[in-house]
Amino acid sequence: MSVQIHPTAIVDKDAELGDNVNIGPYCIVDAKTKIGSGTILRAFSRVCDYTKLGSDCVIHEHAVIGGIPQDLSYKGEETWAVIGDRVVCREYVTINRAVGEGESTTVGDGCFIMEGVHFAHNVHVGRECTVANKAGLSGHVHVGDYVVIGGMTGFHQFTHIGSYCMVGGLSRITQDVPPYCLAAGIPMRVYDINKVGLRRRNIDIQTRRKIRDMYKLIYNSKLTVREGLRQVQEKYPDDHEAQMILDFAANSTRGFTPRMTQDWHHKTEDKVD
């Protein structure tokens, strides 16, 4: 299949373009770039040096992918922005490459990134995440798989969001949000498991109830988080969901986001469905 480049676009001769790439009016593609087959760049979008775009992506108007990191420690070292397959970046999205020789900012396959979102240096976003308008992820933020982030949400640097989480809009994230959770607010609080998101991902009710029980242990007001995690490990040995939570805790850099004041034991099991 042929590559289509609008006559007003500026594409460096050393850029690597896959089959059926479509580059629209007034786009700029730098030399040290690789764009996968079937990817579309809409008018005025920019793909900067040291950027890899996967296949079948759509980069909308005025998005800038792989820009120089906004970090004073950056001294021009070779770093990358690596974007997976089937990623949609809507208008004015900015994704900066990393700081630190050989490091990368990464976005997983199938992500939908809405208008005005910013991913700073060394951000890592998992597969099939949805990030709503004007959310801002500071440097070194890690987001797991299948996460939904509400609009205009701000992330403190180095915070982690576990897989299958839902973060409400207009929130301020200063601590880590463990997997499977629903969280929102200023200050940020964990409200429940993300039962709607889990159901949409075909996680059955028995598993959802088990996850709820794990978080009752972790967030029980009579236990510290550390004690709750120890009980999860003892009660659910060799359990996949428990191991995901325990692994997340082991890599947590800023501690778990507190729960809301209501005790989770007051929630009835039928609400999980």
Side-chain angles (χ1 to χ4, degrees), residues 62-88:
H62 301 283
V64 179
I65 312 300
I68 294 172
Q70 300 173 103
D71 189 292
L72 295 175
S73 69
Y74 180 70
K75 303 303 180 185
E77 63 270 23
E78 182 176 321
T79 64
W80 288 83
V82 180
I83 314 301
D85 299 334
R86 305 180 312 282
V87 172
V88 175

Side-chain angles (χ1 to χ4, degrees), residues 235-260:
K235 186 175 179 180
Y236 298 96
D238 304 318
D239 180 89
H240 172 74
E241 288 75 24
Q243 195 59 51
M244 182 179 289
I245 295 169
L246 294 169
D247 289 346
F248 181 90
N251 292 305
S252 175
T253 58
R254 297 188 57 82
F256 278 16
T257 295
R259 66 172 175 84
M260 63 177 181

Side-chain angles (χ1 to χ4, degrees), residues 16 18 23 31 37 65 107 113 131 149 162 173 178 228 236 243 254 259 266:
E16 296 184 37
I23 299 176
S37 60
I65 312 300
V107 179
I113 307 167
V131 185
I149 297 170
I173 291 87
Y236 298 96
Q243 195 59 51
R254 297 188 57 82
R259 66 172 175 84
H266 295 162

Side-chain angles (χ1 to χ4, degrees), residues 167-224:
V167 176
L170 293 169
S171 295
R172 183 174 66 201
I173 291 87
T174 59
Q175 292 180 276
D176 299 337
V177 181
Y180 307 113
C181 283
L182 173 68
I186 302 175
M188 188 80 161
R189 291 293 182 265
V190 171
Y191 284 82
D192 198 351
I193 66 168
N194 181 21
K195 57 187 178 183
V196 174
L198 295 177
R199 190 163 59 236
R200 287 174 177 172
R201 291 288 171 182
N202 298 316
I203 294 177
D204 60 68
I205 188 170
Q206 290 80 13
T207 302
R208 299 198 300 272
R209 286 176 173 167
K210 178 181 63 176
I211 294 168
R212 164 72 65 71
D213 288 340
M214 292 176 190
Y215 278 110
K216 286 179 181 179
L217 294 173
I218 294 169
Y219 281 120
N220 188 317
S221 60
K222 297 178 182 179
L223 298 173
T224 66

